[in-house]
Every structure is written in C-alpha cells, then in structure tokens.
Amino acid sequence: MIKDYGMVQIYCDPLDNLIFITMGDSQKYGGIATEIDVISKLNFPYNDEELEETLLRSLELCHSKEPDEEKKQTYIERELGIRGYGRATKNLKIIILYWTKENGFQIEPHERIPRRGYVILEEQIIPLGKKIVSGQLAEAVKKAISVAKI
C-alpha cells in the first residue's frame, strides 16, 4: 500500500541481528512519518536474499495500518522489553530505507547523539535510484550498517 513514499527503520544490534519497523502517516501530527505496528526480525546469520525480501516486504506494508498515536512506549522498547527509548537503543545502530516515487530508493545511516537521538549521516547516504538489481539493496544496507554510529 505504498503511497508517494515509504520508510522502514532498521535497528542493528552488536551481533548484527536486525529489527525492521515499518512507518505510516500520523494523522494526529499532520501526516508526519511515524511507526506502525508492523515489525519483522532477522537474526544473524542471514543471507542477502533474506535481507532484501524482508526489507521490500516491510516497505510494501508502509501505511498499511493506522499508527497507535496513544501508545505508551515505542515499538523498539516493546520488542526488546526495555522501558525508555534511550535505554532500549543504547547499543543499536539505525539505518533507514527510504523510498519516494520521484527519486526511488536510498539508504540512510544514522549516528546516535546523546540527548538528541539519531541524526542522518548526510555524507554517507546511499542513493540507489528507482530500480534496484538483486543484491544491490543488501550490499547498501550492509555498508550503511558499517558506517552507522552508536
């Protein structure tokens, strides 16, 4: 149910296990991207095909649910069983798969800044264009994981 854009947050732990959280639109906050309760996981080791299938399936599910605007904790807190976003993400890298109808796919590695959260490493963004070939998305995600910072 992809609209003009789609986003998937990818959290990576120190053992390279991945948690994918799909995004939707917040009606409460004027349509900004927000998490929806569509979560996938991949435990290391996984192959490129599994990584790409999980990512693309997660992207296809963007906007498939209404966000829970009243939830008490983030989905990453719930998945890890740790209260407090800062504590839950203390040792996690975050990468975003971002797709727009106009520009196609890009992978955005982030850096965790204490008391500010995650910021995009602008110089490390990996544009992939509108069409991706098998293996390209997985390679870009692995590269982004290697440059993302906790």
Side-chain angles (χ1 to χ4, degrees), residues 99-112:
W99 174 87
T100 64
K101 189 182 258 185
E102 185 177 314
N103 297 317
F105 298 87
Q106 70 180 30
I107 304 295
E108 301 173 349
H110 286 65
E111 177 177 10
R112 187 169 192 260

Side-chain angles (χ1 to χ4, degrees), residues 63-133:
H63 315 289
S64 63
K65 290 186 174 184
E66 291 296 318
D68 179 358
E69 311 270 30
E70 306 304 320
K71 69 183 184 300
K72 300 270 192 253
Q73 62 183 174
T74 63
Y75 294 116
I76 194 69
E77 290 173 76
R78 185 187 76 191
E79 286 300 308
L80 297 175
I82 300 172
R83 294 180 65 74
Y85 183 80
R87 287 184 40 213
T89 61
K90 182 178 180 180
N91 295 313
L92 300 179
K93 293 181 177 184
I94 189 170
I95 295 90
I96 304 259
L97 167 61
Y98 189 65
W99 174 87
T100 64
K101 189 182 258 185
E102 185 177 314
N103 297 317
F105 298 87
Q106 70 180 30
I107 304 295
E108 301 173 349
H110 286 65
E111 177 177 10
R112 187 169 192 260
I113 308 289
R115 292 181 287 285
R116 283 189 52 211
Y118 288 95
V119 295
I120 298 173
L121 294 169
E122 296 280 344
E123 69 283 359
Q124 299 291 339
I125 290 174
I126 305 167
L128 298 171
K130 291 185 178 184
K131 300 240 183 210
I132 52 175
V133 296

Side-chain angles (χ1 to χ4, degrees), residues 22-93:
T22 300
M23 306 294 280
D25 293 326
S26 167
Q27 300 308 314
K28 183 176 180 179
Y29 298 107
I32 65 168
T34 191
E35 301 175 334
I36 61 174
D37 195 6
V38 177
I39 298 163
S40 298
K41 297 179 187 180
L42 274 180
N43 290 324
F44 190 80
Y46 40 82
N47 62 38
D48 289 356
E49 185 177 313
E50 291 170 309
L51 176 55
E52 289 186 351
E53 284 177 6
T54 304
L55 273 170
L56 294 173
R57 185 174 55 249
S58 296
L59 188 63
E60 287 173 4
L61 293 170
C62 285
H63 315 289
S64 63
K65 290 186 174 184
E66 291 296 318
D68 179 358
E69 311 270 30
E70 306 304 320
K71 69 183 184 300
K72 300 270 192 253
Q73 62 183 174
T74 63
Y75 294 116
I76 194 69
E77 290 173 76
R78 185 187 76 191
E79 286 300 308
L80 297 175
I82 300 172
R83 294 180 65 74
Y85 183 80
R87 287 184 40 213
T89 61
K90 182 178 180 180
N91 295 313
L92 300 179
K93 293 181 177 184

